[in-house]
PDB file of all heavy atoms in Angstrom:
ATOM      1  N   GLU A 800     147.040  52.172 117.880  1.00  0.00           N
ATOM      2  CA  GLU A 800     147.360  52.865 119.030  1.00  0.00           C
ATOM      3  C   GLU A 800     146.964  52.235 120.354  1.00  0.00           C
ATOM      4  O   GLU A 800     147.440  52.581 121.423  1.00  0.00           O
ATOM      5  CB  GLU A 800     146.580  54.239 118.984  1.00  0.00           C
ATOM      6  CG  GLU A 800     147.111  55.085 117.795  1.00  0.00           C
ATOM      7  CD  GLU A 800     146.369  56.383 117.731  1.00  0.00           C
ATOM      8  OE1 GLU A 800     145.652  56.755 118.693  1.00  0.00           O
ATOM      9  OE2 GLU A 800     146.383  57.076 116.676  1.00  0.00           O
ATOM     10  N   SER A 801     146.093  51.247 120.310  1.00  0.00           N
ATOM     11  CA  SER A 801     145.676  50.581 121.549  1.00  0.00           C
ATOM     12  C   SER A 801     146.291  49.204 121.669  1.00  0.00           C
ATOM     13  O   SER A 801     146.867  48.707 120.663  1.00  0.00           O
ATOM     14  CB  SER A 801     144.140  50.436 121.495  1.00  0.00           C
ATOM     15  OG  SER A 801     143.551  51.639 121.537  1.00  0.00           O
ATOM     16  N   GLU A 802     146.262  48.748 122.914  1.00  0.00           N
ATOM     17  CA  GLU A 802     146.767  47.393 123.139  1.00  0.00           C
ATOM     18  C   GLU A 802     145.638  46.457 123.484  1.00  0.00           C
ATOM     19  O   GLU A 802     144.824  46.753 124.337  1.00  0.00           O
ATOM     20  CB  GLU A 802     147.787  47.445 124.290  1.00  0.00           C
ATOM     21  CG  GLU A 802     148.925  48.374 124.027  1.00  0.00           C
ATOM     22  CD  GLU A 802     149.802  48.569 125.245  1.00  0.00           C
ATOM     23  OE1 GLU A 802     149.250  49.069 126.280  1.00  0.00           O
ATOM     24  OE2 GLU A 802     150.991  48.273 125.271  1.00  0.00           O
ATOM     25  N   VAL A 803     145.623  45.309 122.840  1.00  0.00           N
ATOM     26  CA  VAL A 803     144.614  44.311 123.134  1.00  0.00           C
ATOM     27  C   VAL A 803     145.293  43.312 124.109  1.00  0.00           C
ATOM     28  O   VAL A 803     146.487  43.072 124.007  1.00  0.00           O
ATOM     29  CB  VAL A 803     144.183  43.594 121.758  1.00  0.00           C
ATOM     30  CG1 VAL A 803     143.212  42.475 122.112  1.00  0.00           C
ATOM     31  CG2 VAL A 803     143.635  44.640 120.841  1.00  0.00           C
ATOM     32  N   PHE A 804     144.454  42.756 125.044  1.00  0.00           N
ATOM     33  CA  PHE A 804     145.051  41.804 125.954  1.00  0.00           C
ATOM     34  C   PHE A 804     144.053  40.735 126.336  1.00  0.00           C
ATOM     35  O   PHE A 804     142.873  40.827 126.155  1.00  0.00           O
ATOM     36  CB  PHE A 804     145.525  42.630 127.251  1.00  0.00           C
ATOM     37  CG  PHE A 804     144.417  43.223 128.008  1.00  0.00           C
ATOM     38  CD1 PHE A 804     143.665  42.573 129.004  1.00  0.00           C
ATOM     39  CD2 PHE A 804     144.131  44.637 127.790  1.00  0.00           C
ATOM     40  CE1 PHE A 804     142.673  43.207 129.683  1.00  0.00           C
ATOM     41  CE2 PHE A 804     143.120  45.195 128.447  1.00  0.00           C
ATOM     42  CZ  PHE A 804     142.365  44.526 129.414  1.00  0.00           C
ATOM     43  N   VAL A 805     144.610  39.664 126.843  1.00  0.00           N
ATOM     44  CA  VAL A 805     143.894  38.540 127.478  1.00  0.00           C
ATOM     45  C   VAL A 805     144.462  38.394 128.841  1.00  0.00           C
ATOM     46  O   VAL A 805     145.658  38.707 129.120  1.00  0.00           O
ATOM     47  CB  VAL A 805     143.931  37.262 126.668  1.00  0.00           C
ATOM     48  CG1 VAL A 805     143.222  37.370 125.321  1.00  0.00           C
ATOM     49  CG2 VAL A 805     145.325  36.771 126.543  1.00  0.00           C
ATOM     50  N   GLY A 806     143.659  37.895 129.823  1.00  0.00           N
ATOM     51  CA  GLY A 806     144.236  37.720 131.138  1.00  0.00           C
ATOM     52  C   GLY A 806     143.445  36.806 131.997  1.00  0.00           C
ATOM     53  O   GLY A 806     142.348  36.289 131.579  1.00  0.00           O
ATOM     54  N   VAL A 807     143.912  36.563 133.172  1.00  0.00           N
ATOM     55  CA  VAL A 807     143.302  35.758 134.184  1.00  0.00           C
ATOM     56  C   VAL A 807     143.286  36.546 135.474  1.00  0.00           C
ATOM     57  O   VAL A 807     144.098  37.474 135.612  1.00  0.00           O
ATOM     58  CB  VAL A 807     143.992  34.388 134.355  1.00  0.00           C
ATOM     59  CG1 VAL A 807     143.923  33.515 133.145  1.00  0.00           C
ATOM     60  CG2 VAL A 807     145.470  34.546 134.812  1.00  0.00           C
ATOM     61  N   GLU A 808     142.305  36.183 136.287  1.00  0.00           N
ATOM     62  CA  GLU A 808     142.275  36.848 137.586  1.00  0.00           C
ATOM     63  C   GLU A 808     141.896  35.877 138.717  1.00  0.00           C
ATOM     64  O   GLU A 808     141.256  34.856 138.462  1.00  0.00           O
ATOM     65  CB  GLU A 808     141.318  37.999 137.596  1.00  0.00           C
ATOM     66  CG  GLU A 808     139.888  37.697 137.351  1.00  0.00           C
ATOM     67  CD  GLU A 808     138.976  38.903 137.301  1.00  0.00           C
ATOM     68  OE1 GLU A 808     139.426  39.967 136.688  1.00  0.00           O
ATOM     69  OE2 GLU A 808     137.840  38.861 137.773  1.00  0.00           O
ATOM     70  N   LEU A 809     142.385  36.167 139.867  1.00  0.00           N
ATOM     71  CA  LEU A 809     142.106  35.353 141.085  1.00  0.00           C
ATOM     72  C   LEU A 809     141.685  36.342 142.163  1.00  0.00           C
ATOM     73  O   LEU A 809     142.385  37.409 142.337  1.00  0.00           O
ATOM     74  CB  LEU A 809     143.415  34.606 141.529  1.00  0.00           C
ATOM     75  CG  LEU A 809     143.320  33.628 142.629  1.00  0.00           C
ATOM     76  CD1 LEU A 809     142.334  32.499 142.238  1.00  0.00           C
ATOM     77  CD2 LEU A 809     144.661  33.089 142.984  1.00  0.00           C
ATOM     78  N   GLY A 810     140.590  36.088 142.885  1.00  0.00           N
ATOM     79  CA  GLY A 810     140.171  37.038 143.860  1.00  0.00           C
ATOM     80  C   GLY A 810     139.604  36.401 145.109  1.00  0.00           C
ATOM     81  O   GLY A 810     139.294  35.239 145.215  1.00  0.00           O
ATOM     82  N   ALA A 811     139.614  37.300 146.178  1.00  0.00           N
ATOM     83  CA  ALA A 811     138.931  36.944 147.408  1.00  0.00           C
ATOM     84  C   ALA A 811     137.603  37.602 147.359  1.00  0.00           C
ATOM     85  O   ALA A 811     137.486  38.831 147.376  1.00  0.00           O
ATOM     86  CB  ALA A 811     139.753  37.442 148.599  1.00  0.00           C
ATOM     87  N   ALA A 812     136.530  36.764 147.335  1.00  0.00           N
ATOM     88  CA  ALA A 812     135.183  37.314 147.127  1.00  0.00           C
ATOM     89  C   ALA A 812     134.341  37.210 148.384  1.00  0.00           C
ATOM     90  O   ALA A 812     134.468  36.325 149.188  1.00  0.00           O
ATOM     91  CB  ALA A 812     134.474  36.589 145.980  1.00  0.00           C
ATOM     92  N   LEU A 813     133.520  38.265 148.601  1.00  0.00           N
ATOM     93  CA  LEU A 813     132.502  38.289 149.629  1.00  0.00           C
ATOM     94  C   LEU A 813     131.197  38.454 148.957  1.00  0.00           C
ATOM     95  O   LEU A 813     130.990  39.432 148.164  1.00  0.00           O
ATOM     96  CB  LEU A 813     132.744  39.387 150.632  1.00  0.00           C
ATOM     97  CG  LEU A 813     131.670  39.545 151.731  1.00  0.00           C
ATOM     98  CD1 LEU A 813     131.687  38.284 152.673  1.00  0.00           C
ATOM     99  CD2 LEU A 813     131.930  40.803 152.557  1.00  0.00           C
ATOM    100  N   ILE A 814     130.239  37.579 149.148  1.00  0.00           N
ATOM    101  CA  ILE A 814     128.950  37.598 148.533  1.00  0.00           C
ATOM    102  C   ILE A 814     127.842  37.647 149.562  1.00  0.00           C
ATOM    103  O   ILE A 814     127.975  36.894 150.605  1.00  0.00           O
ATOM    104  CB  ILE A 814     128.818  36.421 147.544  1.00  0.00           C
ATOM    105  CG1 ILE A 814     127.505  36.460 146.857  1.00  0.00           C
ATOM    106  CG2 ILE A 814     129.015  35.108 148.254  1.00  0.00           C
ATOM    107  CD1 ILE A 814     127.384  35.497 145.727  1.00  0.00           C
ATOM    108  N   GLN A 815     126.821  38.404 149.387  1.00  0.00           N
ATOM    109  CA  GLN A 815     125.770  38.421 150.303  1.00  0.00           C
ATOM    110  C   GLN A 815     124.466  38.095 149.506  1.00  0.00           C
ATOM    111  O   GLN A 815     124.088  38.789 148.570  1.00  0.00           O
ATOM    112  CB  GLN A 815     125.554  39.801 150.926  1.00  0.00           C
ATOM    113  CG  GLN A 815     124.498  39.826 152.081  1.00  0.00           C
ATOM    114  CD  GLN A 815     124.424  41.119 152.731  1.00  0.00           C
ATOM    115  OE1 GLN A 815     124.002  42.115 152.079  1.00  0.00           O
ATOM    116  NE2 GLN A 815     124.751  41.125 154.043  1.00  0.00           N
ATOM    117  N   GLY A 816     123.831  36.999 149.905  1.00  0.00           N
ATOM    118  CA  GLY A 816     122.619  36.562 149.256  1.00  0.00           C
ATOM    119  C   GLY A 816     121.821  35.570 150.159  1.00  0.00           C
ATOM    120  O   GLY A 816     122.356  35.168 151.186  1.00  0.00           O
ATOM    121  N   ASP A 817     120.626  35.259 149.705  1.00  0.00           N
ATOM    122  CA  ASP A 817     119.829  34.267 150.378  1.00  0.00           C
ATOM    123  C   ASP A 817     120.392  32.892 150.110  1.00  0.00           C
ATOM    124  O   ASP A 817     120.869  32.553 149.088  1.00  0.00           O
ATOM    125  CB  ASP A 817     118.324  34.325 149.838  1.00  0.00           C
ATOM    126  CG  ASP A 817     117.676  35.658 150.182  1.00  0.00           C
ATOM    127  OD1 ASP A 817     118.262  36.417 150.965  1.00  0.00           O
ATOM    128  OD2 ASP A 817     116.588  35.916 149.606  1.00  0.00           O
TER     129      ASP A 817
END
Side-chain angles (χ1 to χ4, degrees):
E800 297 178 14
S801 295
E802 299 171 302
V803 177
F804 63 87
V805 295
V807 294
E808 63 182 39
L809 186 65
L813 176 66
I814 182 171
Q815 187 178 64
D817 295 349

